[in-house]
Amino acid sequence: MARPPRRAAAVAFVAVAALILSACGGKSPDDSGADTGLAQQILADAGVSTPVELKLQYNGDHYGSSSDQEYATIKSQLEATGLFKVELQQTEWVTYNQQRTTDYPVFQLGWFPDFPDADNYLTPFFSVDNFLHNGFSDDRVTELLDAERTNTDPDARNAVLAELQIELAKHMPTVPLLQGSQVAVTGLTVTGVDKTLDASFQFRFAPIVKDDDGTAVIKVGTTDKITALDPAGSYDNGSYNVHYQVYPFVLGFAPGNPSPVPDLAESCEFTNDGSTYSCTIRAGLTWANGNTLDANDVKHSYDRQLAIADENGPSSLLENLASVECPDDLTVNFNLTSPNDVTFPQVLASPVGPIVDNDVFPADALVADDDIVAANAFAGPYTITSYRVNELIEYTPNPAYVGAQGAVANGGATMKYYADESNMRLEIEQGAIDVAHRSLSPTDIQALEDGGKVNVVRGPGGEIRYIVFNLDIQPGETPEQKVAIRKAVAASIDRHELAEAVYKNTYTPLCSFVPDGLPGANTAVCDAYGGN
Amino acid sequence: MRTSRGALLRYLALRLVLIIPTVFILVSVVFFFMRVIGDPITAAQGGRLSPEQLEARRESAGYNRPVLVQYGEYLSQVVRGDFGTSFSDHRRISDVLITNGAATLELVIWALLVAFLVGIPLGRLAARFHDRIADVTIRSFAILFYAAPVFFVGLLLKLLFSSKLGWLPSSGRASTDVQLALDRQGSTTHFMIVDAIRSGNGEYIADVLKHAVLPATALGLLTAGIFIRLIRINMLETMRTDFVTAARARGVPERKVVSRHAYRNALIPVVTVMGMEIALLLGSSILTETTFEWKGIGYILSQYLLARDFVAVQGLVTAIAIVVAVSSFLVDVINALVDPRVRY
Amino acid sequence: MAVLDPTSVPAVRTPPRAGRKIPGLALIRSTHGLQRAMLLIGIGLIAFFVVVALLADVIAPYSFNAIRGPDGLFGTQLPPSSAHLLGTTVGGMDVLSRIIFGARTAVLVVLLATAMSIVVGVPLGVFSGYVGGWVDRVFVLVTDALYAFPSLLMAIIVSVMVSRGQSSAFGGIFAASVSITVVFVPKYFRVIRNATMSAKAEPYVDAARVAGARPARIMFGHILANVSQSLPVLATLNASEAILTLAGLGFLGFGIEPTAAAEWGYDLNKALSDVTNGIWWTGVFPGIAIVLIVAGVALVGESLNDVLNPLLRTRGGATTADEAELEAMVRSVATQPTMTDTARAHAPPSEQSPAPPSSDKEGDER
């Protein structure tokens, strides 16, 4: 429908609203997250004529069904300052994902970390050849990124990270908005979920127990989707969650510990002046189908990721990996392009890290889901014994598993896939499933929490939401004006209001580039633009 | 019957032959619709690959050839019964057709059952109390059944019977345990209820039936509205025919007139209409499937459309076109054999 | 209504009518009793929604995408109150205002879809019927095939094609309209083509041709007379299916983005999780709006079908009315919706039935 013609009444209404707003001098930074005065100042100093027209792009479902509301609210916040005129455009995900890097001046993105480290929120976004393709590069930032990645002293590294974020706040190529926490809803007799909602951001079934009965099968529900069981063919939450239960890793996460620990490995260390990361694999391991599991499988898995380099796969995480060698059956050497990369152990425990059976997975082609299940090529805490893609999966404990996730505390698990969150909400309340993981709507979570028929368990979250500017095509005549516009947007957005009104505080304001809770996080953005 | 047996056979033969152009036209229309947006690789991956990579992929998959060549190749694939492999999740389309097709067919059969159970008695009642309050009420209901979108009816049904009363499950085709047990039986027919009956376990059967109630009701009420009208009108017709009048004159009680003469005749057209409904419901239960997590053809098709997986969409649409064309032929056959009023 | 079949109205039997009076009034007069009540209720509902759509700017308390008043945000999921008569949505928009503006979207789609269907379907039908021969056969074959295909599926495919994944107000409305058009063109085509065929066979058309008059002119009058009974009924079917398809597209997420326009199907989808949590007002009211407007159109369509059928003219005679309706039904069942016409196109002209086959498709696409 065409925008309705403005009748006199509507015009009058807008005028009155604007008057009232200007009479109040905008919103003060004390009682809300926005600082209109500052935004006005920034734009005026750079000589930007207002209102600035922004065409803001977003997608309505990829980042949860609340995106519509989130962006309607952002539009209203920006326009309430009188400094912006926002045109919203919603685009379906496939198209959105294609066009965002080239066509969109300002757009929504979300990030779910590959591994729980500050670097995963910085290098992918702000390095010269970043995945946003937004034309941002800054020498000082690049220098700090390199320094941060190779600094082996944690305290010194955190100092670099803090400085880096303060530096980035002067450029604001992205505007951080919100940070999600992990939420799972469980039946009243279900325990152990708190052991998996930790700072490693991995949802594992192993520690969950129902009715204090170690043989009960745990029924889990999700709205995520599986793209592929083959780790080289998918790079998304839904698929990775399956991989995480059934494939081993060289390094993995133990419950409650955000730092990688040996999984298949016995030990790992930097050798060769830091340019090699060398791991010793445990002896005597086998796949669930009886095949031998050793260093050759590890080399095969990483070589395969690099060889296939599927566009839906995670091979981009292996940027710093030059080659893999296996001098013997129990040793694997990862040769790195830039030495002493402190994030490399994390990469081994990330979506690119699942190890696959070299007798089942060919070196240069993806394997179909059903073939993987039929070959029983699993060696994680569980094996898959029944598989209907995006409908229902049955997981049976793998007695041979001795890795980082620890002993399986239940008699198995099932994962049911829902197309609609409200159906999952009804089933968790009725007890048809024991755990509802990702993602219930904020309304559901609030109502379930108030209802008392289930437990709502929360854990620290690494998921973030932010706005990206494409520096090449964003509004603004000079680089200075462009920076001013980005900063003014940052100052005009009220993160508290977004978190409360849209997400009912299931998300919290994100005050910097690295989310709160991770080593190296600070509040650089809110310090500069209000909203603390 | 006006025409000879030969004419009938000739007509049916013609109808049989016409299945081919019908399918051909639908497949062509969809093929070219899809190509307006772009080839499957550009549609799914454009922008995520560099232009060179994209071109390499298009070349290796043959999408850089003239569209007409690709079109010819696709047609020859379809003729061989090869629907291809989906782009987004690497599944064989023929597998998808079997699993999800069975689900849709099962839903449609349940829905028709509801339509019969609701539509026939109500239509009969409406005819019996013609032009009185009962008639008007029932006709109004028929209009409401039509006017209410299935997702709205589904929402209200779920709210009442699942959320408030807790009598029935809100979504899915079976409980987790039951579905796993049925899958474990070995060779599955993909029809939940058939598998449940094969298991011989009463609880499983009850569970599958309970899951079918709400979706079948939501979809069935739509068709019930159609049946109400059909039965009502056909009964009114036969009740005015000579032999009914004669029966009345002979002193046969009105109730017997209704049940013995009018009702039986009124059922013939319902059978024919049902045939057409199956073809339509088969492809069109998409909203019901989405509302109730009933993972059938319509549901999976909308998922593939959102993923811009045009290989999968083409395969599914082709299959639906075949089903539609074949069922409309079957209906014509039944019609020609059963109903003397058909002119050919 | 689905079974109610406009195309089977035995149109040929009506002589061209001249000197019409006020059509609506005549329509109402020709009804009786309960039939009249149904018609009046239908007309009332349609009139109500049309007025609401026209005056949306005046009567709606807020804009359809307003989430902020002078005192800040409205608040989300507020129950009905004096400030928000029907409450607010999960996105913090006023439910009443969205329903009012939603009426505008619905009416726009109906107008656009009907207009496009007629503009495409009518000339095509006249052309095909007039030219005849193999051109006609091909047209009939193609439209029959399209007609047989499930219309919501077709609508989704077309909307993906039209919108290219970008939701916008015009794009959404246009996509819904085009999809309805694709489904309805075969229906208009069928009616018009058959009317043209029968007009061509009329002796006086031949006579006029012999006399040197332009046959096109004569035929036009004849065709118009023939279709004047079935087109309005077809249009009501077109209208109700347009609304349901728009809502279906919105519900499935192929529709219109909320800040661009208000759309009931979208609102219902967003309300799914509210309703399961006891927040009924965000979902129930848009749902009722859809039911009411479609029911209104269906009531009028049903009455039109009865009234415009010449056999129903005898007033007060419920018997004849039903007999006529019945005749329509019998035809709709006895003649085939998809293929028979094609088959007939291959048969000698003398065997061609003037009554086109039925359209039993409406309303099943959910």
Side-chain angles (χ1 to χ4, degrees), chain A residues 27 33-36 38-40 42-43 48 50 52-56 71 74-75 77-79 81 83-86 105-107 171-177 466-469 474-475 481-495 498 525 529-530:
Chain A
K27 292 172 284 168
D35 190 341
T36 308
L38 179 61
Q40 219 157 9
I42 293 169
L43 289 179
V48 178
T50 56
V52 178
E53 287 190 13
L54 288 181
K55 184 160 186 184
L56 183 53
Y71 277 77
I74 289 174
K75 174 182 157 82
Q77 288 177 355
L78 290 174
E79 292 188 341
T81 62
L83 301 172
F84 296 97
K85 177 91 196 73
V86 180
V106 194
F107 59 98
H171 299 284
M172 297 305 289
T174 71
V175 177
L177 295 177
Y466 55 99
I467 294 175
V468 182
F469 282 87
Q474 70 156 90
Q481 287 200 350
K482 288 181 175 182
V483 175
I485 289 169
R486 297 200 295 269
K487 288 177 176 174
V489 167
S492 301
I493 286 175
D494 180 347
R495 294 174 182 79
L498 283 181
V525 173
Y529 305 106

Side-chain angles (χ1 to χ4, degrees), chain A residues 191-502:
Chain A
T191 53
V193 174
D194 53 320
K195 290 185 189 142
T196 182
L197 297 186
D198 59 26
S200 66
F201 313 139
Q202 315 285 350
F203 191 79
R204 40 182 98 77
F205 302 155
I208 306 174
V209 184
K210 185 183 169 187
D211 299 331
D212 291 329
D213 173 4
T215 61
V217 173
I218 310 299
K219 294 178 199 158
V220 189
T222 185
T223 57
D224 284 349
K225 284 201 171 57
I226 302 170
T227 311
L229 260 190
D230 189 329
S234 65
Y235 188 13
D236 55 85
N237 265 315
S239 306
Y240 184 51
N241 187 255
V242 183
H243 303 164
Y244 191 74
Q245 321 298 331
V246 296
Y247 295 119
F249 293 71
V250 173
L251 297 178
F253 293 103
N257 182 359
S259 301
V261 296
D263 192 36
L264 282 180
E266 229 162 39
S267 63
C268 292
E269 58 182 346
F270 280 104
T271 58
N272 196 10
D273 287 338
S275 60
T276 299
Y277 194 65
S278 176
C279 295
T280 314
I281 306 297
R282 286 176 219 247
L285 296 175
T286 55
W287 293 92
N289 55 23
N291 294 344
T292 314
L293 168 48
D294 59 20
N296 295 305
D297 292 290
V298 175
K299 175 176 161 53
H300 178 77
S301 302
Y302 284 94
D303 285 347
R304 189 171 174 268
Q305 287 279 7
L306 291 169
I308 295 176
D310 192 87
E311 62 274 11
N312 294 322
S315 61
S316 57
L317 286 169
L318 295 177
E319 207 178 6
N320 195 20
L321 179 65
S323 66
V324 188
E325 286 165 3
C326 342
D328 61 66
D329 284 352
L330 294 179
T331 309
V332 58
N333 291 331
F334 298 95
N335 298 319
L336 308 180
T337 313
S338 56
N340 283 318
D341 179 352
V342 293
T343 67
F344 193 73
Q346 301 268 6
V347 170
L348 295 181
S350 77
V352 79
I355 304 305
V356 296
D357 185 346
N358 59 5
D359 294 325
V360 174
F361 290 79
D364 52 2
L366 296 177
V367 183
D369 292 4
D370 290 336
D371 297 340
I372 297 173
V373 174
N376 200 13
F378 305 117
Y382 293 92
T383 62
I384 292 176
T385 40
S386 172
Y387 184 81
R388 276 175 183 249
V389 67
N390 291 326
E391 274 189 58
L392 185 61
I393 297 181
E394 181 186 46
Y395 292 95
T396 305
N398 174 12
Y401 179 76
V402 288
Q405 292 191 41
V408 173
N410 48 51
T414 60
M415 185 64 135
K416 188 168 176 182
Y417 291 83
Y418 293 87
D420 188 285
E421 61 207 11
S422 70
N423 286 323
M424 178 160 83
R425 179 244 181 270
L426 283 172
E427 297 228 308
I428 182 73
E429 195 178 48
Q430 290 164 354
I433 52 173
D434 303 315
V435 181
H437 182 219
R438 283 167 52 95
S439 305
L440 289 165
S441 73
T443 313
D444 290 330
I445 292 169
Q446 196 179 47
L448 287 169
E449 206 157 27
D450 295 345
K453 290 185 197 166
V454 289
N455 289 328
V456 176
V457 186
R458 292 170 200 274
E463 203 168 351
I464 60 166
R465 300 273 185 274
Y466 55 99
I467 294 175
V468 182
F469 282 87
N470 186 326
L471 274 55
D472 297 328
I473 52 178
Q474 70 156 90
E477 283 158 25
T478 61
E480 291 69 34
Q481 287 200 350
K482 288 181 175 182
V483 175
I485 289 169
R486 297 200 295 269
K487 288 177 176 174
V489 167
S492 301
I493 286 175
D494 180 347
R495 294 174 182 79
H496 288 285
E497 191 179 79
L498 283 181
E500 200 178 314
V502 179

